[in-house]
């Protein structure tokens, strides 16, 4: 079944910014008659926080965001990534890279140091060669995009510590789970070209992308665990949804009563959300006046 999805990493509880992405992906999927899936991106076990996945699932449920199929855990799909890696290696476009992060120029694309290595070595990452024409796509919110493979550099698909890279796992899952629409934060816009390169190399069909704005604090930083974002108060689910819908530019419903439940807000959202009219960026501090009413 064609679907949209929300794919959080279980590194902390749901905050206003992740709720906005979840709600946007949900409303866009439902509007398009798609299923809405929830995928927990838990491959990077060192970053996983105990209990965070369940906390996210419960918080989504409290907001009426019920996935249409059992929750997908990337940690249970290792065989899928192993097969994809083998296929990419057979294509002759992969090589083993032993460069340490320290040795590589900061903020610059991978310089291709190990590109010409043809034999496997131990204790190495696997990279996919990126070359050729610019990778282009039309983002529903951010407009036409073009990325030069030379500027992106050869991408790690298997990390040196043996963990499948986010780009590989995400590309394979989106392709294999029939994800036809990816709605996620604009901070992930630069991830799209590497993921498209992997999907194209594997012959997977490409979703439509819509990168929605991220919610920031006054300093312009994305709300995240690192910037100490408050978890959403699940006792105030209706107010939280009202807030993210307004951040997404939805009008205030005229016939609203005080008793609107999360499902009413979502229904309203599905009826009038328009990705094409969503702002590309939100002003700094859009998450700042987010009060946390007590659940009593
Ligand atoms: N799990 C990643 C994140 O939360 C990627 C999500 C995505 O591709 O939508 O940043
Ligand atoms: Zn290298």
């Amino acid at each position: 079944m064609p679907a949209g999805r929300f794919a959080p990493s279980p590194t902390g509880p749901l905050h206003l910014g992740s709720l906005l992405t979840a709600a946007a992906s949900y409303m866009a999927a439902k509007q398009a008659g798609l299923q809405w899936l929830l995928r927990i991106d838990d491959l990077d076990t060192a970053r996983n926080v105990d209990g965070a996945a369940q906390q996210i699932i419960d918080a989504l449920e409290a907001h009426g965001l019920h996935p249409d199929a059992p929750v997908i855990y990337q940690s249970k799909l290792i065989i899928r990534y192993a097969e994809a890696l083998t296929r990419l290696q057979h294509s002759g476009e992969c090589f083993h890279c032993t460069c340490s992060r320290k040795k590589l120029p900061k903020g610059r694309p991978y310089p291709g140091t190990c590109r010409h290595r043809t034999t496997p070595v131990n204790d190495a990452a696997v990279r996919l060669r990126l070359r050729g024409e610019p990778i282009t796509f039309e983002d529903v919110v951010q407009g036409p995009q073009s990325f030069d493979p030379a500027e992106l550099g050869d991408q790690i698909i298997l990390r040196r510590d043996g963990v499948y890279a986010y780009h590989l796992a995400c590309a394979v899952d989106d392709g294999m789970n029939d994800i036809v629409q990816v709605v996620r934060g604009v901070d992930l816009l630069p991830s799209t070209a590497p993921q498209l390169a992997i999907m194209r190399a594997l012959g997977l069909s490409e979703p439509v992308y819509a990168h929605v704005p991220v919610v920031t604090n006054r300093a312009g930083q994305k709300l995240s665990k690192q910037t100490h974002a408050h978890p959403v108060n699940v006792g105030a689910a209706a107010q939280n949804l009202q807030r993210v819908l307004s951040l997404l530019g939805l009008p205030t419903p005229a016939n609203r009563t005080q008793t609107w439940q999360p499902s009413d807000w979502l229904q309203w959202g599905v009826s009038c959300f328009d990705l094409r009219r969503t702002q590309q960026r939100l002003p700094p501090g859009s998450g700042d006046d987010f009060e946390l009413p007590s659940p009593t």
Side-chain angles (χ1 to χ4, degrees):
M1 283 276 281
R5 71 359 174 236
F6 174 54
S9 304
T11 53
L14 201 73
H15 51 73
L16 186 69
S18 38
L19 178 65
L20 179 139
T21 308
S25 65
Y26 176 92
M27 296 185 299
K30 293 291 156 180
Q31 235 169 27
L34 304 172
Q35 286 208 323
W36 183 69
L37 306 184
L38 174 59
R39 186 182 81 212
I40 302 291
D41 286 356
D42 58 351
L43 283 185
D44 193 350
T45 46
R47 289 184 61 222
N48 292 348
V49 170
D50 274 351
Q54 196 54 49
Q55 238 179 332
I56 292 171
I57 296 167
D58 294 344
L60 291 170
E61 288 281 336
H63 287 83
L65 296 161
H66 311 293
D68 294 308
V71 179
I72 299 158
Y73 291 85
Q74 288 195 320
S75 56
K76 296 187 182 155
L77 298 171
I78 299 294
I79 292 177
R80 185 185 258 193
Y81 312 130
E83 282 168 3
L85 177 73
T86 306
R87 284 183 50 207
L88 290 172
Q89 286 182 306
H90 283 156
S91 74
E93 288 300 307
C94 297
F95 60 90
H96 284 237
C97 167
T98 50
C99 299
S100 68
R101 199 174 292 170
K102 268 197 236 137
K103 254 190 350 198
L104 294 172
K106 274 206 182 57
R108 299 281 316 133
Y110 176 69
T113 319
C114 306
R115 242 187 176 198
H116 302 293
R117 179 178 281 130
T118 47
T119 49
V121 285
N122 286 331
D123 192 23
V126 177
R127 284 186 189 267
L128 176 69
R129 240 175 243 130
L130 287 205
R131 54 181 167 190
E133 295 296 303
I135 299 166
T136 60
F137 61 96
E138 181 73 31
D139 190 277
V140 181
V141 178
Q142 308 293 334
Q145 306 291 321
S146 177
F147 291 86
D148 179 1
E151 282 299 313
L152 295 168
D154 303 330
Q155 298 290 313
I156 292 189
I157 50 174
L158 179 69
R159 289 172 14 181
R160 198 173 184 156
D161 61 5
V163 175
Y164 291 99
Y166 157 63
H167 289 326
L168 177 80
C170 183
V172 168
D173 285 339
D174 285 341
M176 295 188 69
N177 290 334
D178 202 6
I179 301 300
V180 295
Q181 181 189 66
V182 169
V183 178
R184 59 184 176 188
V186 71
D187 56 317
L188 290 168
L189 186 63
S191 297
T192 309
Q195 291 172 8
L196 280 173
I198 294 170
M199 297 184 102
R200 288 172 190 175
L202 288 167
L204 294 167
S205 61
E206 299 166 20
V208 169
Y209 290 91
H211 288 85
V212 294
V214 294
V215 180
T216 56
N217 62 21
R218 211 163 298 166
Q221 297 162 313
K222 181 193 165 206
L223 298 193
S224 69
K225 204 181 117 188
Q226 288 72 29
T227 57
H228 311 292
H230 293 294
V232 288
N233 177 355
V234 292
Q239 290 98 307
N240 298 338
L241 284 171
Q242 179 176 8
R243 178 97 172 93
V244 297
L245 263 53
S246 111
L247 286 171
L248 285 165
L250 273 85
T252 313
N255 58 347
R256 177 173 74 93
T257 65
Q258 280 309 316
T259 54
W260 264 31
Q261 300 298 308
S263 57
D264 298 313
W265 284 108
L266 290 174
Q267 218 179 333
W268 167 252
V270 172
S271 73
C272 61
F273 182 40
D274 188 349
L275 270 173
R276 285 161 310 175
R277 294 180 57 190
T278 301
Q279 287 193 70
Q280 295 182 341
R281 298 285 185 280
L282 287 170
S286 49
D288 260 15
D289 56 343
F290 181 55
E291 286 304 321
L292 297 164
S294 76
T296 52

